[in-house]
C-alpha cells in the first residue's frame, strides 16, 4: 500500500532554503550535490544512503499525485510511494528531479529535471541496530 | 524597529525519503 501524499510540499524544497549538512556546513537546497548526502550519511553513523531505482510511475486516484515504485538497495526491496507530481527526488548524476518539473519550478522555484523510469534516486535507510 | 527574522535551517536528512524498511539480519 503506498504512503499517502501530504497536501503540500515541505518548506525545505523551496529554492534558497538553508540546509545543514552533518559536518555543520550550510548550503542552499539548489546547491546540494550527491557527495553532500553521501558524506553526511557517513558522518551520521546511523543512516545509510541507498540507491533507489525508479521502476514504475503510475497515475494515482488522488488528483495531482503519482504512485512511484522503487527498487531499493542491494536487496532490491520493492517500495511504492504516492507523492504529488511536483515532489522532488535527488537523482545521482542529475540532481533534483520530479514527475512534473514545470510545476516544481512554478511552486518552489527549484530547478528540476524530469524523473523517469530507470533513474537512480538517493534514499535513506537506518543502519541495523545491534 | 524591525525585528530580525531568523532564517530556518533544515537538517540534510529531511530532504531524503526513507524508502526501505530496516533489514533485520
Amino acid at each position: 500500500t503506498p504512503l499517502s501524499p501530504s497536501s503540500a510540499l515541505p518548506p525545505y524544497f523551496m529554492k534558497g532554503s538553508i540546509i545543514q549538512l552533518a559536518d555543520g556546513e550550510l548550503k542552499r537546497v539548489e546547491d546540494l550535490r550527491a557527495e553532500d548526502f553521501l558524506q553526511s550519511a557517513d558522518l551520521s553513523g546511523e543512516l545509510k544512503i541507498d540507491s533507489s531505482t525508479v521502476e514504475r510511475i503510475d497515475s494515482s486516484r488522488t488528483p495531482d499525485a503519482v504512485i512511484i515504485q522503487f527498487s531499493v538497495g542491494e536487496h532490491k526491496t520493492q517500495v511504492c510511494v504516492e507523492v504529488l507530481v511536483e515532489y522532488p527526488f535527488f537523482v545521482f548524476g542529475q540532481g533534483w528531479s520530479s514527475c512534473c518539473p514545470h510545476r516544481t519550478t512554478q511552486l518552489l522555484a527549484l530547478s528540476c529535471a524530469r524523473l523517469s523510469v530507470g533513474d537512480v534516486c538517493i534514499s535513506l535507510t537506518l543502519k541495523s541496530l545491534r | 524597529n524591525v525585528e530580525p527574522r531568523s532564517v530556518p535551517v533544515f537538517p540534510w536528512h529531511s530532504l531524503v525519503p526513507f524508502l526501505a524498511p530496516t533489514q533485520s539480519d
Side-chain angles (χ1 to χ4, degrees):
Chain A
T1 309
L3 304 169
S4 294
S6 70
S7 57
L9 285 177
Y12 36 75
F13 288 123
M14 185 73 72
K15 185 182 179 185
S17 293
I18 306 295
I19 309 301
Q20 184 165 41
L21 305 182
D23 65 359
E25 186 186 352
L26 300 178
K27 278 198 165 188
R28 290 191 169 85
V29 63
E30 65 271 22
D31 296 332
L32 290 172
R33 301 163 60 87
E35 291 75 21
D36 295 324
F37 292 108
L38 294 168
Q39 286 167 10
S40 287
D42 271 351
L43 284 173
S44 80
E46 56 190 16
L47 298 173
K48 183 167 77 83
I49 295 286
D50 261 331
S51 299
S52 296
T53 305
V54 177
E55 300 236 312
R56 288 177 63 119
I57 300 175
D58 292 313
S59 53
S60 161
R61 288 184 183 181
T62 310
D64 300 323
V66 285
I67 298 171
I68 305 176
Q69 185 180 336
F70 290 97
S71 169
V72 182
E74 56 184 315
H75 298 287
K76 299 193 185 303
T77 310
Q78 298 297 302
V79 177
C80 273
V81 293
E82 187 175 19
V83 293
L84 296 170
V85 292
E86 63 266 24
Y87 193 97
F89 293 87
F90 200 93
V91 173
F92 283 102
Q94 182 168 282
W96 293 113
S97 307
S98 75
C99 291
C100 187
H102 173 73
R103 199 168 151 83
T104 308
T105 306
Q106 206 174 37
L107 292 171
L108 302 169
L110 185 69
S111 200
C112 248
R114 181 172 294 279
L115 186 70
S116 311
V117 169
D119 283 349
V120 182
C121 301
I122 284 180
S123 66
L124 279 174
T125 52
L126 272 176
K127 283 183 183 169
S128 302
L129 300 173
R130 273 183 284 274
Chain B
N1 275 355
V2 179
E3 277 188 35
R5 293 174 62 187
S6 60
V7 178
V9 175
F10 302 99
W12 68 275
H13 50 78
S14 53
L15 297 150
V16 190
F18 272 92
L19 285 186
T22 307
Q23 300 283 336
S24 55
D25 296 326

